[in-house]
Amino acid sequence: MMVEPNQLVQHLETFVDTNRSSSQQDDSLKAIASSLENDSLSITQLVREMEMYLTTTDNLVRARGILLLAEILDCLKAKPLNDTIVHTLVGFFSEKLADWRAMCGALVGCLALLKRKDVAGVVTDIDVQAMAKSMIQNVQVQALALHERKLAFELLECLLQQHSEAILTMGDLLVYAMCEAIDGEKDPQCLMIVFHLVELLAPLFPSPSGPLASDASDLFEVIGCYFPLHFTHTKDDEANIRREDLSRGLLLAISSTPFFEPYAIPLLLEKLSSSLPVAKVDSLKCLKDCALKYGVDRMKKHYGALWSALKDTFYSSTGTHLSFAIESLTSPGFEMNEIHRDAVSLLQRLVKQDISFLGFVVDDTRINTVFDTIYRYPQYKEMPDPSKLEVLVISQILSVSAKASVQSCNIIFEAIFFRLMNTLGIVEKTSTGDVVQNGNSTVSTRLYHGGLHLCIELLAASKDLILGFEECSPTSGCANSWCSMVKSFSVPLIQVFTSAVRRSNDDSVVDVYLGVKGLLTMGMFRGGSSPVSRTEFENILVTLTSIITAKSGKTVVWELALKALVCIGSFIDRYHESDKAMSYMSIVVDNLVSLACSSHCGLPYQMILEATSEVCSTGPKYVEKMVQGLEEAFCSSLSDFYVNGNFESIDNCSQLLKCLTNKLLPRVAEIDGLEQLLVHFAISMWKQIEFCGVFSCDFNGREFVEAAMTTMRQVVGIALVDSQNSIIQKAYSVVSSCTLPAMESIPLTFVALEGLQRDLSSRDELILSLFASVIIAASPSASIPDAKSLIHLLLVTLLKGYIPAAQALGSMVNKLGSGSGGTNTSRDCSLEEACAIIFHADFASGKKISSNGSAKIIVGSETTMSKICLGYCGSLDLQTRAITGLAWIGKGLLMRGNERVNEIALVLVECLKSNNCSGHALHPSAMKHAADAFSIIMSDSEVCLNRKFHAVIRPLYKQRCFSTIVPILESLIMNSQTSLSRTMLHVALAHVISNVPVTVILDNTKKLQPLILEGLSVLSLDSVEKETLFSLLLVLSGTLTDTKGQQSASDNAHIIIECLIKLTSYPHLMVVRETSIQCLVALLELPHRRIYPFRREVLQAIEKSLDDPKRKVREEAIRCRQAWASITSGSNIF
Amino acid sequence: MDSVLTNKNPIIYPKRTRRSRTDQSSTDEFSSTNRIRDIKDPEHPELSLEDLNVLTEESVEVDDHKSYVIITFTPTLPHCHLPTHIGLCILVKLVQSLPARFKVDVRVAPGSHDKETTVNKQLGDKERVTAALENPELVALLNKMMQVC
């Protein structure tokens, strides 16, 4: 579509007219640009049309006109243009740079032209030069406003970045112009570009006789004044520039060219000596960069000053506190702040770059005096602070320098290692000047903490050096002199460390710590180049292991040694040291595992297990060894218990299982093959239990049964389906070989059940619990043999009061028939059949009960379970067990979304009625159980029916249950006649409400809030229900803080406040009081007219809470009181 | 308040690290101090009374059994013109925070202010305090001082 000429004029007018809104101007700009883009208008036409705007003497109009043309060009960066047009335009805009009134447009135009794409016709070098010249001559950057200044800098940046060859010829002029432009810039956004400009300018003139070399002092003067960068602006403006960005930019600018060296280094050194931490950090960072960029030759003359500044920095940034805690075994042991870290990396950089810098370090007098200090104060704590500082700093400096390169390591070891050994008493100078090694007598001499620390730091540095070294090139490190030096002293060094570890006087913590740390360091030299031979390495392991196995109890030494062993173990695993792994296995792992098996070593079994599991978890092979060992230990302990009646063994067993569950099971994903090992363990548990058929004593290891169940559940939970099947098979064979199957034949008659009160032997109980655990954790695809009789068995045992049986039954109905692939449990039993067994199992004596004439039609369906629940048969115990069992079964059904759960819910509700179909109210305890059954159904269980144990979970199952149950409970509450039944219904409702997701509640607040409030007041009467009350109160507070809930709260304000006020003095639970006060504060969000009338009431109630016995409640009360008092203007405080 | 500050550049003291105490549950110095340490100085809204050492933990005396609290505060300068405001604010905040059984007594530390007796009399006079709280401007100032940092 061709733009009509008059339409074009209109657009032009709109843009030029400053009275129009900016959106209108934008629209007209876009319109013109798009018509140019689709070639309905050519540039020439446009320029001709605009002639008047571009040349008029009206400054405003001309500025707008030029800006328009520039903006249009900016939009057309990718559109091909004729070379002559580009040339003409460049000429035009370059010329206009002299027109300060139209500066903005000219700058935008130049920038747009420079940024043109290759294919679309670019600016030639001659044009660029012309433009640059005009720019330099005409534009006084610092005289411009912020926006134009930024544009000018962007233009310069663009010139340097994209057309560097073209402007190279300008030389001196360019550098001079740059200095002028930059000088005195203050805006952060511009500064970011400025720093980049300097960085770009530097590489253009590398010649030492070039323009930059001669003007370097001027240029540095301009940028050097920003250092160290002070920028406290934290507000996020649109540019969002942070101090770190600016300081990084400045740093790059300073280090951009070696010509800055004579000016930069003195400045940086001066700032390094300032007391401002930021200046120190910046200087250190900058010096590091400069050292790299300026090169060795230029840096060399500053070495003296650098070294003394660096040394001072180390002294001032190091604390005197050396930690001897277990955590610092693998770290330097003192706090490192940012200054310190940067100083370390600068020192390392300097030494790595030029070995001659090390001369300053080694020749320093303080390094020579440190040995006297060490000798003077053998004990660390006796040292005065300056000496401590000296030892720490010198150790740090030496170790950092040694870590820099092999060469530096050699030099440092040559310089001080002999003296160090001498100080430690390992070598002695004979009268002839020869150095000889001291014999074993050293072991008894004094220990010098400072010396040991220095020695450990040095060894650690050389160790780290090998680690880093061999990662890139596997050359032998032993060719180096330091290595042979360490090698020749390794035996006495290990002796010294060992003797330190063995110290056992009162304050030997430091000795022991340094000893263990030394041994650890010696044990972590890597590979074939290690200066520590294999026998010495084994000595180290033997020493550490002997500490673990010594009968000394849990001491600091023990923990340190264990940590050291774990470190060595993971080091071996990480670097695949096969030789060392063998030594480790035979000395450490075998020893500990055999200790765990024997269980008669004097050490508490708990500690052996801890040590074994920590050490063994460092490598997969050790884990295998450990699981096998534990298996053996378990079997022997269990049989020891059965045969000899040793109670200690059964305790050991449960500790062992707990260790397995807590330490190994969480790591099953990390360690390959652990799953198989654990399955094997589970199967041998079953074998062992089968084997221990005879009891010699009474069994009361409740703890053991719990531990065994947990382990069994978890193992089955993580196992693959095939492994699960084999465990189930084994378990089933054990179950069927014991006396349990006899239970199956027990008819479900009341008489028979009554007679069976406690005839399950403890062994059967154990087997049953374990079997239930297996069933609970089995996945839906695992196959359970002979399911029908198992269901029968579980049903009978559940009625005898075994909760695990109920949970297993719940899991079974949850998973039956839903496994994938059809090859599953349901081969011989479908869900329907299972339900039929559970619900319709016929009572032989059922007729007898109903024959007394009172039998009526039961709501729901007439099933055996429901009859028991409703108390058709006498025993209260049986009734409560049946109710709980039914709850677990109901949970299983609910989670898979089966309809039968409604039947169960109806039975449970029936139990809560004051006059149910059995014609009389239930016993209070049975009612309580029925109410709590809803908690079982709705809440998440840790023990069974969760994701970990492969439960079938339909989405939104809680919501579904909520929507069916709540209306029923609601209507029953309305009609309930006795207060007991009413309370129990409220308890049930509270369980349902507090377990459902909050969003559901929020959707129904209008209906629920009155119910919740009534529930709160009913439940507050009895202290037994305090936990339920609290969870219900939390639901209420949830509704009060949401906008949806607030609407209905506003309607119920008076009841809510009344209820909350009552709860502020609830005596049984502190959190209830606290939460109710918080709710009162939340109520202030309601409209003023609704809450104002209650002000006096609330304030009076809160007054009492101010004197509450609990601090937390008082503090909440103060907050609440202030909030409520402030809703009126006057404040009558008395 | 005057536009000219009486104490333009007050000395700022380091704050004592706040202990968190959950075991004890009686009303004591600790909790009372926590109530009032954050009150801001009327001249320097960015500083709290604790910063300026107007209040310290030692200046609070509490007896839970006899139900009284005595606060002794130290104005920054002997000729400071705001001790009544500070005292009033401490008083109001404590009365609001403590159970009604407590008697709250706020005093200027002996010898720390020129008009010590006048100020003490003013703060001890219940009727004058009540009257002062009728003044909307004063109440606004007090509320500003009590705002949580």
Side-chain angles (χ1 to χ4, degrees), chain A residues 1103 1107 1109 1111 1114 1121-1122, chain B residues 24-25 96-97 99-101:
Chain A
E1103 184 117 335
D1107 218 359
R1111 183 185 303 276
R1114 287 202 302 272
R1121 187 183 150 130
Q1122 262 160 13
Chain B
Q24 268 271 341
S25 60
Q96 278 183 0
S97 315
R101 65 188 164 91

Side-chain angles (χ1 to χ4, degrees), chain A residues 502-628:
Chain A
R502 293 265 156 80
R503 290 274 162 129
S504 54
N505 47 328
D506 291 338
D507 48 18
S508 57
V509 180
V510 180
D511 288 340
V512 167
Y513 170 84
L514 289 171
V516 172
K517 194 166 179 175
L519 287 179
L520 172 65
T521 317
M522 294 293 278
M524 297 223 300
F525 279 105
R526 191 189 158 186
S529 56
S530 162
V532 178
S533 71
R534 189 162 164 185
T535 37
E536 287 156 15
F537 176 72
E538 285 174 357
N539 275 341
I540 295 173
L541 291 184
V542 167
T543 309
L544 290 173
T545 315
S546 69
I547 297 172
I548 301 280
T549 52
K551 302 175 176 71
S552 58
K554 197 160 188 167
T555 52
V556 183
V557 201
W558 192 85
E559 283 179 41
L560 282 168
L562 179 57
K563 174 93 189 280
L565 277 178
V566 171
C567 286
I568 294 179
S570 38
F571 156 78
I572 292 173
D573 189 51
R574 184 168 162 216
Y575 293 100
H576 310 293
E577 302 269 303
S578 52
D579 280 1
K580 286 184 178 154
M582 277 163 65
S583 309
Y584 195 76
M585 183 68 135
S586 62
I587 293 172
V588 185
V589 177
D590 284 355
N591 232 323
L592 286 175
V593 168
S594 68
L595 213 57
C597 290
S598 71
S599 76
H600 299 293
C601 61
L603 260 186
Y605 199 61
Q606 184 85 43
M607 278 166 67
I608 302 175
L609 284 176
E610 187 188 336
T612 316
S613 61
E614 291 281 331
V615 164
C616 290
S617 54
T618 53
K621 268 191 193 148
Y622 316 142
V623 171
E624 192 179 329
K625 186 89 191 168
M626 175 187 170
V627 176
Q628 281 162 0

Side-chain angles (χ1 to χ4, degrees), chain A residues 776-810:
Chain A
I776 284 170
S779 97
S781 342
S783 68
I784 297 171
D786 199 13
K788 278 182 202 164
S789 47
L790 280 179
I791 291 175
H792 195 89
L793 170 67
L794 290 172
L795 200 56
V796 174
T797 45
L798 120 77
L799 288 174
K800 290 179 58 52
Y802 292 102
I803 300 291
Q807 291 166 341
L809 212 49

Side-chain angles (χ1 to χ4, degrees), chain A residues 295-348:
Chain A
V296 175
D297 291 342
R298 278 180 177 272
M299 291 303 284
K300 220 167 200 140
K301 52 180 171 274
H302 299 288
Y303 278 173
L306 259 173
W307 164 241
S308 73
L310 201 52
K311 194 172 61 178
D312 292 345
T313 314
F314 267 107
Y315 272 99
S316 64
S317 67
T318 310
T320 55
H321 176 73
L322 186 61
S323 156
F324 297 108
I326 187 161
E327 301 79 36
S328 46
L329 208 53
T330 49
S331 64
F334 51 86
E335 273 179 43
M336 298 247 266
N337 56 17
E338 203 185 351
I339 300 175
H340 195 112
R341 271 194 293 272
D342 284 324
V344 165
S345 75
L346 173 61
L347 177 61
Q348 209 156 22

Side-chain angles (χ1 to χ4, degrees), chain A residues 384-401:
Chain A
D385 274 357
S387 307
K388 282 182 186 174
L389 186 67
E390 189 173 0
V391 171
L392 289 183
V393 168
I394 297 294
S395 316
Q396 177 77 0
I397 288 177
L398 288 175
S399 78
V400 168
S401 321

